[in-house]
Amino acid sequence: MRKIIAAILCLVMALSLVACSQPAANPDDNGEKEVKKLAFADVIGTALGSVHVETEGVDYSNMKIGFIHVSDPSDMGYTYNHNNGTEKMKATLGLKDEQIINKFNIAEDNAAVIQAANELIAEGCNLIFATSFGHENGIMEVAKEHPEVQFCHATGYQASFMGIENHHNYFGRIYEARYLSGIVAGLKAKEIGNNVLGYVAAMPFAEVISGFTAFYLGAKSVNPDVTMKVMYTGSWNDPTKEAQNAQALIDAGCGVISQHCDSTAPATVAEEKGAFHIGYNSSMIDVAPNASLTSAIWDWSQYLVYATTCVAKGEPIDTDWMGGLYDGVCMLADLNENILAEGTVEAVKAAYNGILDGSVQVFAGPYHGEGVDFDGNVVTIDIAEGEWYVENETVSAPSFNFIIDGVEVIGE
């Protein structure tokens, strides 16, 4: 077996619309039945791990921590999940409310980010987290001017080569959880007799493409007949557009849909239209009890505790940091027992154990994919049986940026 490492590409693809069969309706509407949720730890039969960092005896009294978020916790998605990590970190380290300052709804605009960061510094923050991809350039500008402050940026990619000592990137192996959620979707698709999956995607970036490819490959591992249609919204958080795209995918015949976008809109559309759903960032079972099977989620507190402790101790923060299934950074939310396909729990547990022991590689072949490089040239990737693409090996930012066979981008 050998590993395949590919270069990071810039990909913007548009493929033609094709028709597919109509989705099967929910076979049994649960109505007023009690929703039974199965915790992920119970599925895998073990307690989730954690990132080890020694916090005992550390003095956090001089810490003041700022956060710059692209939306706010009302999105019930990405910022909601990240803010949950903040609250868990605060409780874990015994921080006071006044030691945390949040800047919500900061656009991915350099001027807005620079202003927010400078305001946090003026309020005494010695550690600042920025959590959206488009925040990075603004954060780097402020980091150069304030070497006394540490800056940690989620989803970015420039820390490893820009050489700004107080600028750090963090992300995680969310593709591992995406793969497991794909298994849940693939088995459900097989059960309902509709092998067309749908995916509401935010941006045509590697972060998103890596995620939906992992989801698709997970589904394909248990249901070789699946195909998938993808529609981009052009925004991380646009509930109206997310709902429209979810509706369009269901109208195009997709029986199970998933998402890389911030709101619960795709879940509620699936609930209304009799489709099934896999969420992201938070459990969406409560808003779509007859549709939402599970979600791929994060525990961001793992990194927040680590970085805060490093600053409190006066120790360096990793330039690039990534965690995954093995340490509980990325995982599945509760699974909806009422609507799971038969064999789902066993299949998820087997794949989880395989990822941990290396016998399951998320981006394993065989498959062919195409992308476009920075010069506009079409480039291809061909992964043979027994080979795999290595994601997140040296940097935290996702790099898989190819549309593979079986996946179609059908528009925005």
Side-chain angles (χ1 to χ4, degrees):
M1 306 270 287
R2 63 189 180 92
K3 300 185 286 187
I4 304 298
I5 304 178
I8 297 177
L9 303 174
C10 178
L11 177 64
V12 179
M13 298 196 68
L15 303 178
S16 60
L17 176 65
V18 297
C20 55
S21 61
Q22 292 299 310
N26 276 4
D28 294 300
D29 189 340
N30 291 321
E32 299 300 317
K33 284 173 59 178
E34 178 186 0
V35 177
K36 296 181 180 178
K37 301 176 184 179
L38 182 63
F40 182 55
D42 293 333
V43 171
I44 60 177
T46 185
L48 295 171
S50 63
V51 175
H52 177 72
V53 55
E54 185 55 62
T55 61
E56 180 135 8
V58 178
D59 181 6
Y60 296 97
S61 61
N62 292 323
M63 293 301 302
K64 200 160 191 180
I65 305 163
F67 288 87
I68 299 173
H69 294 294
V70 72
S71 56
D72 61 63
S74 68
D75 67 9
M76 293 306 295
Y78 182 74
T79 300
Y80 168 82
N81 192 216
H82 224 117
N83 192 62
N84 283 349
T86 301
E87 294 301 314
K88 186 174 178 181
M89 177 266 290
K90 184 169 69 174
T92 299
L93 302 181
L95 302 180
K96 299 176 181 178
D97 289 345
E98 56 266 30
Q99 290 181 268
I100 305 293
I101 304 175
N102 288 299
K103 295 284 186 179
F104 294 120
N105 299 306
I106 305 301
E108 293 183 312
D109 170 80
N110 283 356
V113 174
I114 290 169
Q115 179 179 337
N118 281 326
E119 288 174 357
L120 290 170
I121 293 168
E123 294 185 68
C125 292
N126 49 1
L127 173 61
I128 294 173
F129 296 92
T131 64
S132 197
F133 181 82
H135 289 158
E136 187 167 29
N137 288 337
I139 284 296
M140 288 193 299
E141 289 300 311
V142 181
K144 292 173 188 176
E145 298 297 322
H146 292 276
E148 77 282 4
V149 179
Q150 296 296 316
F151 296 84
C152 301
H153 177 250
T155 78
Y157 66 97
Q158 300 183 67
S160 62
F161 59 83
M162 289 300 292
I164 305 171
E165 291 188 4
N166 59 329
H167 168 234
H168 319 276
N169 287 141
Y170 67 101
F171 201 57
R173 295 179 172 88
I174 191 63
Y175 59 88
E176 296 173 340
R178 293 281 197 192
Y179 185 89
L180 297 183
S181 71
I183 289 173
V184 178
L187 289 173
K188 192 65 184 180
K190 181 185 292 187
E191 179 187 75
I192 66 175
N194 181 345
N195 290 321
V196 184
L197 306 176
Y199 204 98
V200 181
M203 305 280 194
F205 297 164
E207 177 188 337
V208 179
I209 295 167
S210 170
F212 70 58
T213 303
F215 173 80
Y216 174 69
L217 290 172
K220 197 171 180 65
S221 72
V222 294
N223 184 352
D225 296 327
V226 292
T227 59
M228 187 169 75
K229 298 183 182 299
V230 176
M231 294 187 71
Y232 294 112
T233 66
S235 172
W236 298 113
N237 183 29
D238 184 341
T240 299
K241 185 66 173 176
E242 291 164 27
Q244 290 170 348
N245 283 12
Q247 179 69 68
L249 288 165
I250 293 168
D251 288 346
C254 301
V256 183
I257 64 170
S258 188
Q259 66 182 84
H260 186 139
C261 52
D262 285 357
S263 83
T264 61
T268 56
V269 171
E271 179 84 1
E272 292 167 3
K273 300 303 178 181
F276 294 95
H277 170 262
I278 301 286
Y280 183 42
N281 286 311
S282 66
S283 174
M284 298 181 180
I285 294 173
D286 288 345
V287 299
N290 300 306
S292 198
L293 295 152
T294 189
S295 297
I297 62 171
W298 301 83
D299 181 357
W300 290 110
S301 74
Q302 305 268 14
Y303 179 76
L304 304 183
V305 166
Y306 158 76
T308 301
T309 301
C310 285
V311 175
K313 289 181 174 181
E315 297 176 352
I317 302 171
D318 287 346
T319 300
D320 257 296
W321 183 96
M322 63 203 86
L325 285 179
Y326 66 93
D327 50 24
V329 173
C330 305
M331 68 201 85
L332 293 186
D334 292 344
L335 284 81
N336 190 341
E337 284 193 89
N338 290 1
I339 55 175
L340 290 181
E342 185 176 351
T344 296
V345 170
E346 294 79 7
V348 168
K349 182 176 181 179
Y352 171 86
N353 290 329
I355 290 171
L356 263 59
D357 68 23
S359 61
V360 172
Q361 294 291 333
V362 170
F363 292 97
Y367 55 79
H368 167 85
E370 291 189 351
V372 178
D373 67 16
F374 289 108
D375 297 319
N377 301 311
V378 175
V379 291
T380 63
I381 186 172
D382 288 284
I383 305 296
E385 184 81 35
E387 300 176 346
W388 61 88
Y389 181 96
V390 179
E391 184 71 290
N392 289 135
E393 184 169 59
T394 58
V395 297
S396 59
S399 61
F400 191 95
N401 219 1
F402 300 88
I403 305 299
I404 68 171
D405 293 343
V407 176
E408 292 184 289
V409 177
I410 65 170
E412 296 187 1

